Coordinates of all heavy atoms in Angstrom, one line a residue:
A1 N -22.9 273.9 -46.8 CA -23.6 273.4 -47.9 C -22.7 272.9 -49.0 O -22.9 271.8 -49.6 CB -24.5 274.4 -48.5
E2 N -21.5 273.6 -49.2 CA -20.5 273.2 -50.2 C -19.9 271.9 -49.8 O -19.7 271.0 -50.6 CB -19.5 274.3 -50.3 CG -18.4 274.1 -51.3 CD -17.4 275.2 -51.3 OE1 -17.7 276.3 -50.8 OE2 -16.3 274.9 -51.8
I3 N -19.6 271.7 -48.5 CA -19.0 270.5 -48.0 C -20.0 269.3 -48.1 O -19.6 268.2 -48.5 CB -18.6 270.6 -46.5 CG1 -17.4 271.7 -46.4 CG2 -18.1 269.3 -45.9 CD1 -17.1 272.1 -45.0
K4 N -21.2 269.6 -47.8 CA -22.3 268.6 -47.9 C -22.4 268.1 -49.3 O -22.6 266.9 -49.5 CB -23.6 269.1 -47.4 CG -24.7 268.1 -47.3 CD -26.0 268.7 -46.7 CE -27.1 267.7 -46.6 NZ -28.3 268.3 -46.0
A5 N -22.4 269.0 -50.3 CA -22.5 268.6 -51.7 C -21.4 267.7 -52.1 O -21.5 266.7 -52.8 CB -22.6 269.8 -52.6
Y6 N -20.1 268.1 -51.7 CA -19.0 267.3 -52.0 C -19.0 265.9 -51.4 O -18.7 264.9 -52.1 CB -17.7 268.0 -51.6 CG -16.4 267.2 -51.9 CD1 -15.8 267.3 -53.1 CD2 -15.9 266.3 -50.9 CE1 -14.7 266.6 -53.4 CE2 -14.8 265.6 -51.2 CZ -14.2 265.7 -52.5 OH -13.0 265.0 -52.8
V7 N -19.4 265.8 -50.2 CA -19.5 264.6 -49.5 C -20.5 263.6 -50.2 O -20.3 262.4 -50.4 CB -19.9 264.8 -48.0 CG1 -20.3 263.5 -47.3 CG2 -18.8 265.4 -47.2
K8 N -21.6 264.2 -50.6 CA -22.7 263.4 -51.2 C -22.3 262.9 -52.6 O -22.5 261.7 -52.9 CB -24.0 264.3 -51.3 CG -25.2 263.6 -51.9 CD -26.4 264.5 -51.9 CE -27.6 263.7 -52.5 NZ -28.8 264.6 -52.5
H9 N -21.6 263.7 -53.3 CA -21.3 263.3 -54.7 C -20.0 262.5 -54.8 O -19.7 262.0 -55.9 CB -21.2 264.6 -55.6 CG -22.5 265.2 -55.9 ND1 -23.0 266.3 -55.1 CD2 -23.5 264.9 -56.8 CE1 -24.2 266.6 -55.6 NE2 -24.5 265.8 -56.6
N10 N -19.2 262.5 -53.8 CA -17.9 261.7 -53.9 C -17.8 260.6 -52.9 O -16.7 260.0 -52.7 CB -16.8 262.7 -53.6 CG -16.6 263.8 -54.7 OD1 -16.0 263.5 -55.7 ND2 -17.3 264.9 -54.5
S11 N -19.0 260.2 -52.3 CA -19.0 259.1 -51.4 C -17.9 259.1 -50.3 O -17.2 258.2 -50.0 CB -18.8 257.7 -52.2 OG -19.9 257.6 -53.1
T12 N -17.7 260.3 -49.8 CA -16.7 260.6 -48.7 C -17.2 259.9 -47.4 O -18.4 260.0 -47.1 CB -16.5 262.1 -48.5 OG1 -16.1 262.7 -49.7 CG2 -15.5 262.3 -47.4
S13 N -16.3 259.2 -46.7 CA -16.7 258.5 -45.5 C -16.4 259.3 -44.3 O -16.9 258.9 -43.2 CB -15.9 257.1 -45.5 OG -14.5 257.4 -45.5
M14 N -15.6 260.3 -44.3 CA -15.2 261.0 -43.1 C -14.8 262.5 -43.4 O -14.2 262.7 -44.5 CB -14.0 260.3 -42.5 CG -13.5 260.9 -41.2 SD -12.3 259.7 -40.4 CE -11.0 259.7 -41.7
V15 N -15.1 263.4 -42.5 CA -14.7 264.8 -42.6 C -13.9 265.1 -41.4 O -14.3 264.9 -40.3 CB -15.9 265.7 -42.7 CG1 -15.4 267.2 -42.8 CG2 -16.8 265.4 -44.0
V16 N -12.7 265.6 -41.6 CA -11.7 265.9 -40.5 C -11.6 267.4 -40.4 O -11.3 268.1 -41.4 CB -10.3 265.3 -40.8 CG1 -9.4 265.5 -39.7 CG2 -10.5 263.8 -41.0
F17 N -11.7 267.9 -39.2 CA -11.5 269.3 -38.9 C -10.2 269.6 -38.2 O -9.8 268.8 -37.3 CB -12.7 269.8 -38.0 CG -14.0 269.8 -38.7 CD1 -14.7 268.6 -38.9 CD2 -14.6 271.0 -39.2 CE1 -16.0 268.6 -39.6 CE2 -15.8 271.0 -39.9 CZ -16.5 269.8 -40.1
D18 N -9.6 270.7 -38.5 CA -8.3 271.0 -38.0 C -8.3 271.7 -36.6 O -7.3 272.2 -36.2 CB -7.5 271.9 -39.0 CG -6.0 272.0 -38.7 OD1 -5.5 271.0 -38.2 OD2 -5.5 273.1 -38.8
D19 N -9.4 271.7 -36.0 CA -9.5 272.2 -34.6 C -10.4 271.2 -33.8 O -11.0 270.3 -34.3 CB -10.2 273.6 -34.6 CG -9.2 274.7 -35.0 OD1 -8.2 274.8 -34.3 OD2 -9.4 275.4 -36.0
D20 N -10.4 271.4 -32.5 CA -11.3 270.6 -31.6 C -12.7 271.2 -31.8 O -13.0 272.4 -31.8 CB -10.9 270.7 -30.2 CG -9.6 269.9 -29.9 OD1 -9.2 269.2 -30.8 OD2 -9.1 270.0 -28.8
L21 N -13.7 270.2 -31.9 CA -15.1 270.6 -32.0 C -15.8 270.4 -30.7 O -15.4 269.5 -29.9 CB -15.8 269.7 -33.0 CG -15.2 269.7 -34.5 CD1 -15.9 268.7 -35.3 CD2 -15.5 271.1 -35.1
S22 N -16.7 271.3 -30.4 CA -17.5 271.2 -29.1 C -18.5 270.0 -29.3 O -18.8 269.7 -30.5 CB -18.2 272.5 -28.8 OG -19.2 272.7 -29.8
P23 N -19.0 269.5 -28.2 CA -20.0 268.4 -28.4 C -21.2 268.8 -29.3 O -21.7 268.0 -30.1 CB -20.5 268.1 -26.9 CG -19.3 268.5 -26.1 CD -18.6 269.7 -26.8
S24 N -21.7 270.1 -29.1 CA -22.8 270.5 -29.9 C -22.4 270.6 -31.4 O -23.2 270.3 -32.3 CB -23.3 271.9 -29.4 OG -22.3 272.9 -29.5
Q25 N -21.2 271.2 -31.7 CA -20.8 271.2 -33.1 C -20.7 269.8 -33.7 O -21.1 269.6 -34.8 CB -19.4 271.9 -33.2 CG -19.4 273.4 -32.9 CD -18.0 274.0 -32.9 OE1 -17.1 273.4 -32.5 NE2 -17.9 275.3 -33.3
L26 N -20.2 268.9 -32.9 CA -20.0 267.5 -33.4 C -21.4 266.9 -33.8 O -21.6 266.3 -34.8 CB -19.4 266.7 -32.3 CG -18.9 265.3 -32.7 CD1 -17.8 265.3 -33.8 CD2 -18.4 264.5 -31.5
R27 N -22.4 267.1 -32.9 CA -23.7 266.6 -33.1 C -24.3 267.3 -34.4 O -24.9 266.6 -35.2 CB -24.6 266.8 -31.9 CG -24.3 266.0 -30.7 CD -25.4 266.0 -29.7 NE -25.7 267.3 -29.2 CZ -25.1 267.9 -28.2 NH1 -24.2 267.2 -27.6 NH2 -25.5 269.1 -27.8
N28 N -24.2 268.6 -34.5 CA -24.8 269.3 -35.6 C -24.2 268.9 -36.9 O -24.9 268.7 -37.9 CB -24.7 270.8 -35.4 CG -25.5 271.3 -34.2 OD1 -26.5 270.7 -33.8 ND2 -25.0 272.4 -33.6
L29 N -22.9 268.7 -36.9 CA -22.2 268.4 -38.2 C -22.5 266.9 -38.6 O -22.7 266.7 -39.8 CB -20.7 268.5 -38.0 CG -20.2 270.0 -37.9 CD1 -18.7 270.0 -37.4 CD2 -20.3 270.6 -39.3

């Protein structure tokens, strides 16, 4: 929720994760 609020208020175009995401994690995010 904290990340979502930052993305929304700062017009962020991309979120980068420091690990590999599973297909389901990718879809959910």
